[in-house]
Amino acid sequence: VQLQASGGGLVQAGDSLRLSCAASGRTANYAMGWFRQAPGKKRELSAAISWSGNTYYADSVKGRFTIYRNSAINMVYLQMNNLKPEDTAVYYCAAVQDYGLPRYEYDYWGQGTLVTVSS
């Protein structure tokens, strides 16, 4: 599975942005996640979605971010609303063949897309 993330950019606080992740192969039975890594910080999971549509959100993004997928076209999205400067990071999509909702162990990674939120 190869992943291609896109949709990052420079926005102002309060704006919205949608990230997209295109998978090269079938990911219907894969859990998909969006991780982010801010400068000087460890990479962390922001949101994840299972093959059946169950979701997980980190507390820092809960209520503002929405992860969803279209398995028919092998796409995963992260809708980010009410962005804050602390959301500034490189965002990575990731995949793992798992029927659950893993938080840490993902096998396939996209190249990352930069989101910068100005105050």
Side-chain angles (χ1 to χ4, degrees):
V1 174
Q2 292 184 324
L3 305 173
Q4 180 76 34
S6 61
L10 172 62
V11 297
Q12 293 185 330
D15 285 351
S16 297
L17 207 57
R18 190 182 76 161
L19 305 183
S20 300
C21 178
S24 63
R26 285 182 55 83
T27 55
N29 60 337
Y30 281 62
M32 305 292 294
W34 282 99
F35 288 75
R36 69 183 184 185
Q37 186 167 21
K41 294 189 177 182
K42 293 170 57 177
R43 188 161 55 186
E44 61 179 13
L45 179 63
S46 294
I49 186 166
S50 71
W51 72 279
S52 61
N54 294 324
T55 57
Y56 162 83
Y57 296 97
D59 288 342
S60 57
V61 307
K62 200 171 294 183
R64 300 186 298 120
F65 290 13
T66 302
I67 186 171
Y68 59 101
R69 66 193 298 169
N70 185 335
S71 295
I73 58 172
N74 298 317
M75 293 291 295
V76 179
Y77 306 94
L78 185 67
Q79 178 66 44
M80 306 185 293
N81 297 330
N82 190 22
L83 283 161
K84 303 177 180 180
E86 50 264 43
D87 294 319
T88 295
V90 177
Y91 284 74
Y92 300 88
C93 65
V96 60
Q97 192 169 10
D98 192 312
Y99 285 106
L101 204 57
R103 308 274 179 95
Y104 305 106
E105 296 184 357
Y106 283 73
D107 296 324
Y108 304 96
W109 294 84
Q111 84 289 1
T113 184
L114 176 62
V115 173
T116 304
V117 184
S118 64
S119 57

